[in-house]
Amino acid sequence: GQNIDQPTEMTATEGAIVQINCTYQTSGFNGLFWYQQHAGEAPTFLSYNVLDGLEEKGRFSSFLSRSKGYSYLLLKELQMKDSASYLCAVMDSNYQLIWGAGTKLIIKP
Amino acid sequence: ETGVTQTPRHLVMGMTNKKSLKCEQHLGHNAMYWYKQSAKKPLELMFVYNFKEQTENNSVPSRFSPECPNSSHLFLHLHTLQPEDSALYLCASSQDLGSGANVLTFGAGSRLTVL
């Protein structure tokens, strides 16, 4: 079967760096997405990786290794507003999105 | 208003009630989706519409009935629901289907409680 694994919850300190990992086993691969979802709000798109390597967007970066079935989202200079759930999703060979259960990130002052 | 708008934001209903969830997008997207989000579980895809035509029904019970009158509006009609159907129902849209960089734009969801 198809599966996405990510930690259920992580805690980090304001100003620090945190890395949220995502591993996947899917039928084919057409890209990996990260979404951010604040409590009670819509998930919003953060990043899309289809080739190996690191994509940087301001304080957020996303890394992909297709051979290892692995990605991470790196958040730098953490702010309180970064407290949210982070959803990892992989698009399989049929262009279906397979979702992880999300990682709840708690930022402490 | 831009983006994806869902109404109502909160809904409480009994198992014998009939209610509907509404979704509207003003992004000019051709594809619309219904997802179910339960605590600590992955998003579950329920239905997909592309150019108003249903392209996916993920073995969803018939007590959930979708309707897509045009590319901008999507409804989810609910009847004789069960308590385990209580969840957040998310609507999303995307430009197209079947491409890799298919970014979804989500609504804020309708929180459904079935008593």
Side-chain angles (χ1 to χ4, degrees):
Chain A
Q2 308 201 86
N3 193 52
I4 308 284
D5 287 313
Q6 50 181 132
T8 303
E9 188 173 296
M10 299 181 70
T11 302
T13 305
E14 190 177 15
I17 299 173
V18 72
Q19 178 175 311
I20 303 174
N21 295 325
C22 172
T23 57
Y24 62 90
Q25 301 91 37
T26 57
S27 302
F29 179 85
N30 276 303
L32 185 144
F33 297 80
W34 285 97
Y35 283 80
Q36 179 191 59
Q37 186 179 22
H38 286 102
E41 296 184 15
T44 56
F45 169 75
L46 286 178
S47 66
Y48 170 71
N49 294 68
V50 67
L51 299 176
D52 291 350
L54 187 68
E55 297 269 347
E56 296 186 71
K57 271 188 189 179
R59 295 189 298 114
F60 291 12
S61 303
S62 56
F63 171 83
L64 174 67
S65 169
R66 288 172 297 170
S67 62
K68 295 182 179 177
Y70 168 69
S71 171
Y72 66 73
L73 182 68
L74 190 72
L75 291 73
K76 302 177 183 176
E77 302 168 17
L78 285 170
Q79 302 175 10
M80 298 303 292
K81 67 179 182 180
D82 297 329
S83 292
S85 288
Y86 292 86
L87 312 179
C88 174
V90 172
M91 187 164 282
D92 70 10
S93 57
N94 294 318
Y95 296 100
Q96 302 290 317
L97 270 178
I98 313 301
W99 293 86
T103 298
K104 183 178 181 180
L105 177 64
I106 300 168
I107 309 298
K108 295 187 174 180
Chain B
E1 188 180 341
T2 59
V4 178
T5 304
Q6 290 188 243
T7 54
R9 291 293 310 276
H10 300 273
L11 179 62
V12 179
M13 60 188 288
M15 289 191 283
T16 58
N17 290 159
K18 287 185 180 181
K19 297 285 183 183
S20 296
L21 307 181
K22 179 182 176 182
C23 176
E24 192 171 350
Q25 58 98 0
H26 300 283
L27 300 166
H29 288 170
N30 299 315
M32 296 187 77
Y33 311 73
W34 279 117
Y35 277 94
K36 178 182 179 182
Q37 186 174 37
S38 303
K40 299 185 180 180
K41 289 186 177 180
L43 289 179
E44 296 176 46
L45 180 64
M46 300 175 72
F47 302 104
V48 181
Y49 279 81
N50 194 35
F51 289 99
K52 302 190 303 176
E53 300 298 320
Q54 188 178 122
T55 60
E56 185 112 18
N57 175 340
N58 262 7
S59 303
V60 180
S62 59
R63 58 186 184 268
F64 294 91
S65 174
E67 179 190 359
C68 188
N70 54 60
S71 293
S72 299
H73 294 84
L74 186 63
F75 295 89
L76 188 62
H77 303 300
L78 317 169
H79 65 98
T80 59
L81 295 191
Q82 305 297 310
E84 59 264 29
D85 296 323
S86 298
L88 182 68
Y89 289 84
L90 290 167
C91 175
S93 69
S94 66
Q95 187 61 57
D96 295 295
L97 291 179
S99 64
N102 193 33
V103 176
L104 298 180
T105 301
F106 285 89
S110 294
R111 172 70 62 187
L112 173 66
T113 303
V114 181
L115 301 176

